[in-house]
Amino acid sequence: MFETLIKFFRFCDAENRRKFYGSIIVGIFNSLFMALRIGAVAVMLRGVIATAMDGQIFETKTIWLSLAIMCASVIGGIVTRKVTTMWQCEGGYRTCAKKRIEIAEHLRYLPMGYFNENSLGEITSVTTNTMEAVGDVATRAVMMVFQGLLDTSLIIVMLVFFDWRIALVALAGFALFEFVNLFMRLAVKNVSADKIRDDAAEIGKVLEYIQGISEVKAYNLVGKRSRELNDVIDRRKKTLVKMEMRCIPVSNTQSLVAKLSGVAMMLASLYFYLGGSMTLADCSTMLVCSFMLFNALEAGGNYSALLRTIDIGVTKAGKILSLPTMDIEGRDIHPSSHDIEARRIDFAYDTGSALPRKIIDGISLKIPGHTTTAIVGPSGGGKTTFCHLLARFWDVDSGRVMLGGNDVRDYSMDSLMQNFSFVFQNVYLFHDTIANNIRFGEPDAPMEKVIEAAKKACCHEFISALPQGYDTVIGEGGASLSGGERQRISIARAILKDSPVIILDEATANVDPENERDLMAAISELTKEKTVIMIAHRLKTVRNADQIVVIDRGRIAEQGRHEELVRRGGIYAKFIDARKEAVSWKL
């Protein structure tokens, strides 16, 4: 138990760790105030019994003394409990909020291969369910478990001053309670891991189902996919029920031990009183204490089963944060030119497996600044991977990628990304206003620049026609806009960022003819006086490029200008012939 709590404290940042440590110190004072109730009861009982048995006059000062001790206990308990609760809540929730941000920042610098090997559901689960559970559970568990231990320990210490024999009985009950509590934590050990695994599986399956709903309907897979989703939900339900069914018997046993320990204290007190070794006043005080002693401990014991959730949650978050990032501790470099050069670069997926898949095989290429380079070739030949290597989405296995005469690995990641803007085939827009989506690369850009970029991207007209204009909130992924509209907003985003190198990855592949004219005009505005690298299949997109590079099976198969490559009659010429034939088809 203490190992888990120490692990959680180490997981916290320094500021919030201090809040937890401070709450524990204040919690000790809270326990002292709670223990004062015994003193108040003892003073009153001794006064009452002395009056009844010895015929003494009940002194008013006894009442005032008991009342003063009780008031100090109540007021001190309220103040200290408020402080500990606030500090622990702030520490728990702020830790999880900061860790979410830290995880998001860490993900920025991981190789793209990580996202290919790990499901979206796993990442989403860690940053949502897992961190939410850590925030909720940690706050309550730390507060209840620690406070229960402190309250009970200090009350037992106070009992020593009344009768050490009763203190030993209470200590034995405390030890037996903790022994049973150990079984509770062991009972949920494996189930807690299953719960977090099923949480991730459920989120992943729900996301998959929603994102692929059009394909599910189109191929009449509604029943099959629904069954898969239902199976995942049902498995999680069974795991939760299993956890509860394991906890309930042990929790009831734990509660029974606490109650029986109180009964043992009562019987021992009566036995010692009847045997003449304990006064009636002390016996009465011990009888009252037997009801008070285990209340806090019992409440904390029930929460201690959740410590395993904290342990696993911290481990999973720590696992992501410990993933090796690309070396991002480079220098802030501002290159004087934007020439790009690949020098015999190699790259393979699954390098840790026995059969790594080599995608890029010894490519060397020079891309002069302020020129346009078109990348073409068969599907799966390595075009997109090559462009991602140029922008350092991955690190090359061997060779070098140079930007402005500097190895891209010498740049800090942020200074490197300032040189690149991207327009992908599949545009992702965030659930936010159109204005904020455009200024994504320049969050502080004024509205005038946003509108100027939108006009250059040929999207000002349709944005102005929307009900709230630039303040219109679009659905996640841009679901409320057409494909061409999303592409033009993406181009406006790139225009506003105004990076010197533009990478276009099939930017016009899925655009209808009505939108293509506007989109080509937007791309033309975006690429003025830039270093442009485009992956394209359309003849009109590539024929005017300064150089055309044909990549096949991870190698450069051909390289040159349009007319030169057509005369060679190689892969590019066949590509052009196929495009011309497709365009000439009539219905």
Side-chain angles (χ1 to χ4, degrees):
M1 178 174 67
F2 288 104
E3 289 180 2
T4 299
L5 293 173
I6 291 170
K7 186 176 183 179
F8 173 73
F9 292 151
R10 288 176 178 169
F11 181 70
C12 299
D13 61 285
E15 178 185 354
N16 290 302
R17 192 183 305 125
R18 285 195 296 269
K19 287 184 180 294
F20 277 108
Y21 289 161
S23 71
I24 292 172
I25 294 171
V26 177
I28 294 173
F29 288 99
N30 178 262
S31 298
L32 288 172
F33 283 120
M34 292 299 102
L36 281 179
R37 292 176 296 176
I38 298 176
V41 171
V43 169
M44 183 60 71
L45 286 175
R46 284 177 177 174
V48 170
I49 291 172
T51 301
M53 297 188 68
D54 300 335
Q56 299 177 8
I57 298 174
F58 191 77
E59 297 182 3
T60 307
K61 67 177 183 180
T62 301
I63 298 176
W64 288 113
L65 178 59
S66 178
L67 180 61
I69 296 173
M70 186 60 74
C71 287
S73 173
V74 172
I75 295 172
I78 291 173
V79 172
T80 52
R81 177 55 62 92
K82 178 184 177 182
V83 172
T84 56
T85 302
M86 288 300 298
W87 284 356
Q88 286 172 351
C89 286
E90 289 176 2
Y93 290 120
R94 287 181 179 176
T95 289
C96 292
K98 287 187 176 182
K99 286 301 176 181
R100 283 193 180 101
I101 296 171
E102 189 177 337
I103 289 171
E105 287 295 309
H106 192 76
L107 292 174
R108 288 176 56 199
Y109 302 114
L110 292 178
M112 290 296 291
Y114 171 79
F115 302 98
N116 293 333
E117 297 164 4
N118 296 270
S119 69
L120 180 60
E122 177 71 18
I123 299 170
T124 305
S125 179
V126 171
T127 53
T128 54
N129 279 3
T130 302
M131 295 313 299
E132 187 71 23
V134 169
D136 267 343
V137 174
T139 299
R140 283 181 284 177
V142 170
M143 183 167 54
M144 299 299 290
V145 173
F146 245 108
Q147 204 60 50
L149 291 172
L150 286 173
D151 287 356
T152 305
S153 299
L154 286 174
I155 290 175
I156 291 175
V157 170
M158 184 166 280
L159 289 179
V160 173
F161 295 98
F162 288 90
D163 194 297
W164 63 270
R165 298 168 298 180
I166 301 301
L168 284 179
V169 174
L171 184 61
F174 177 62
L176 183 59
F177 182 94
E178 287 301 312
F179 182 72
V180 175
N181 185 256
L182 174 63
F183 278 97
M184 177 181 284
R185 296 197 297 272
L186 291 175
V188 300
K189 183 176 181 180
N190 295 328
V191 185
S192 296
D194 293 342
K195 175 188 177 298
I196 290 181
R197 180 203 64 204
D198 292 341
D199 285 346
E202 183 181 62
I203 289 178
K205 187 58 68 174
V206 169
L207 287 172
E208 178 188 278
Y209 187 83
I210 293 172
Q211 292 172 341
I213 192 66
S214 57
E215 283 77 12
V216 169
K217 288 184 176 181
Y219 290 94
N220 197 28
L221 297 173
V222 176
K224 180 176 182 291
R225 290 298 175 185
S226 294
R227 283 194 300 273
E228 290 179 0
L229 178 59
N230 290 339
D231 287 344
V232 171
I233 294 173
D234 188 57
R235 185 166 66 246
R236 182 170 179 267
K237 178 195 73 176
K238 290 178 179 178
T239 300
L240 292 174
V241 171
K242 183 179 180 181
M243 176 179 281
E244 291 298 322
M245 294 305 294
R246 285 193 178 185
C247 282
I248 288 172
V250 184
S251 178
N252 289 338
T253 303
Q254 189 174 254
S255 180
L256 180 62
V257 168
K259 298 296 189 295
L260 290 178
S261 296
V263 171
M265 287 177 61
M266 294 173 66
L267 293 176
S269 298
L270 291 171
Y271 175 79
F272 294 139
Y273 168 68
L274 294 175
S277 60
M278 181 182 287
T279 65
L280 178 59
D282 285 349
C283 178
S284 301
T285 303
M286 293 302 99
L287 292 178
V288 173
C289 286
S290 67
F291 290 98
M292 298 167 50
L293 180 60
F294 292 101
N295 286 340
L297 184 65
E298 189 175 353
N302 290 332
Y303 275 98
S304 66
L306 299 175
L307 291 177
R308 179 63 181 166
T309 303
I310 299 176
D311 193 301
I312 296 174
V314 168
T315 299
K316 289 179 76 69
K319 183 179 179 182
I320 291 180
L321 291 171
S322 64
L323 287 169
T325 60
M326 295 187 296
D327 181 12
I328 59 174
E329 300 301 325
R331 295 174 286 122
D332 289 337
I333 300 174
H334 303 284
S336 57
S337 72
H338 293 91
D339 300 339
I340 299 174
E341 183 181 358
R343 297 180 180 175
R344 299 193 59 80
I345 61 173
D346 291 315
F347 178 76
Y349 291 126
D350 303 325
T351 53
S353 65
L355 297 171
R357 296 183 296 123
K358 197 163 190 177
I359 305 300
I360 301 299
D361 187 6
I363 288 182
S364 294
L365 177 66
K366 292 184 179 180
I367 302 174
H370 303 293
T371 64
T372 297
T373 298
I375 309 291
V376 299
S379 178
K383 304 183 297 295
T384 298
T385 301
F386 175 68
C387 290
H388 285 174
L389 291 172
L390 297 182
R392 208 190 170 196
F393 279 20
W394 289 279
D395 274 331
V396 296
D397 296 333
S398 63
R400 302 176 73 187
V401 175
M402 313 294 289
L403 171 64
N406 299 287
D407 193 311
V408 294
R409 289 170 291 196
D410 293 336
Y411 289 77
S412 67
M413 187 59 71
D414 291 335
S415 69
L416 178 64
M417 286 298 104
Q418 288 174 1
N419 294 284
F420 290 92
S421 287
F422 306 87
V423 179
F424 298 110
Q425 177 181 353
N426 298 316
V427 176
Y428 190 88
L429 301 179
F430 296 90
H431 183 69
D432 203 342
T433 64
I434 289 178
N436 285 339
N437 268 282
I438 292 175
R439 59 164 65 99
F440 186 73
E442 292 289 335
D444 299 325
M447 197 64 200
E448 294 77 15
K449 287 192 173 182
V450 172
I451 294 174
E452 181 184 352
K455 287 180 178 178
K456 290 180 179 179
C458 303
C459 54
H460 175 71
E461 185 177 342
F462 84 78
I463 294 174
S464 300
L466 294 172
Q468 283 81 40
Y470 284 85
D471 292 326
T472 301
V473 176
I474 57 179
E476 184 176 345
S480 55
L481 301 175
S482 70
E485 290 170 341
R486 291 198 298 271
Q487 283 284 14
R488 278 180 276 162
I489 288 177
S490 176
I491 291 172
R493 177 190 290 170
I495 288 174
L496 185 62
K497 187 181 178 187
D498 195 27
S499 298
V501 181
I502 308 294
I503 295 181
L504 305 171
D505 188 352
E506 301 280 11
T508 62
N510 297 327
V511 178
D512 53 75
E514 290 77 11
N515 281 315
E516 185 175 5
R517 179 179 57 83
D518 288 340
L519 191 58
M520 293 304 297
I523 290 175
S524 176
E525 187 66 35
L526 169 65
T527 56
K528 282 182 179 178
E529 299 181 1
K530 307 287 186 182
T531 302
V532 181
I533 304 165
M534 62 171 67
I535 300 172
H537 287 149
R538 298 196 180 196
L539 176 58
K540 65 177 69 176
T541 307
V542 302
R543 68 182 305 158
N544 295 322
D546 296 297
Q547 67 172 331
I548 299 168
V549 178
V550 181
I551 295 182
D552 183 24
R553 298 179 184 179
R555 298 183 177 183
I556 295 180
E558 295 178 316
Q559 181 178 354
R561 294 185 65 88
H562 172 75
E563 296 79 6
E564 177 186 352
L565 294 179
V566 169
R567 286 195 300 270
R568 290 182 188 174
I571 296 176
Y572 181 76
K574 294 177 183 177
F575 162 76
I576 294 301
D577 290 341
R579 289 294 177 270
K580 286 181 178 179
E581 184 178 351
V583 170
S584 66
W585 285 1
K586 303 292 183 182
L587 292 177

